[in-house]
Amino acid sequence: MTAVAPRRRASPEKTRPSVFWPAAMIVVPATGWFAKIEIEGGEHLPREGSYVLAPNHYSEFDPVIIAVATWRLGRAPRFMAKESLFHVPVLGWLLRATGMVPVARASTSAAAKQTLAQSNALVAAQRGVIVYPEGSLTRDPDMWPMRGKTGAVRLALAAPEPLPVIPVATWGVQEILPRYGRVRLWPPRRRVRVLLGPPVDLSAYTDTTPSTLAAATDAVMRDISILLGRLRGVEPPAERWNPAQHGQRETGRLDS
């Protein structure tokens, strides 16, 4: 599988002056010291319109890789962020200025209304959002995607027309920052691969009952696992790691 540098026209949200411009001038070159990012499947990320990008999560550094890859593909990287962070001075302003999306943590009627409002806002603004469906770093011993949370599909299915959920896998970031480890400064420009797949087929999931959301989430995690298997050159496990079955607490959870 040969990586091809993405060559396509940037979306208006990247070409229009914004807070992302000065941030990109700092973050992109700094990331280039650590990682040589190779992107495949970039054609699956819409140049315009709303979407949910769903990556695997196995290093505290992989959000930086996903942000840079998204920017290189012509879109502004916006993430789901803990709602409490929006109340932190300066940081809260920056999150709001860049259009980050506060996460609805609880499965309540208020959270459902919040998710609906967020989804409609994404459609109205023609923005995408990056949502880690695992909610925290994978607890799988071999760093395969673990059981997913329903936040990504809840957001996608709440729109008047379901938003495309685009699976993406990265591999190689663990050589820069191992899970729960320390940053490795040398050697620089370690190879990191990013592989995007076509939108997950969610046409069979027509309601938002808990069982439907769980099944839709499993379909998303399956596609992410397949992409990661292609990057690693091995078959992903048939069943995803469930921390609850192994007495593990899922820290840093971003959705339910």
Side-chain angles (χ1 to χ4, degrees), residues 53 113 131 142 149 153:
L53 191 64
K113 290 179 181 178
V131 184
D142 295 321
K149 304 295 180 179
V153 297

Side-chain angles (χ1 to χ4, degrees), residues 165-187:
V165 178
I166 302 160
V168 56
T170 70
W171 190 242
V173 190
Q174 75 280 3
E175 299 298 329
I176 299 170
L177 179 57
R179 181 177 50 183
Y180 308 122
R182 295 183 178 180
V183 174
R184 297 170 178 170
L185 297 175
W186 194 265

Side-chain angles (χ1 to χ4, degrees), residues 112 115 150 153-159 205-214 216:
T115 299
T150 60
V153 297
R154 278 195 284 118
L155 188 66
L157 295 177
Y205 310 102
T206 56
D207 60 68
T208 55
T209 61
S211 60
T212 297
L213 291 173

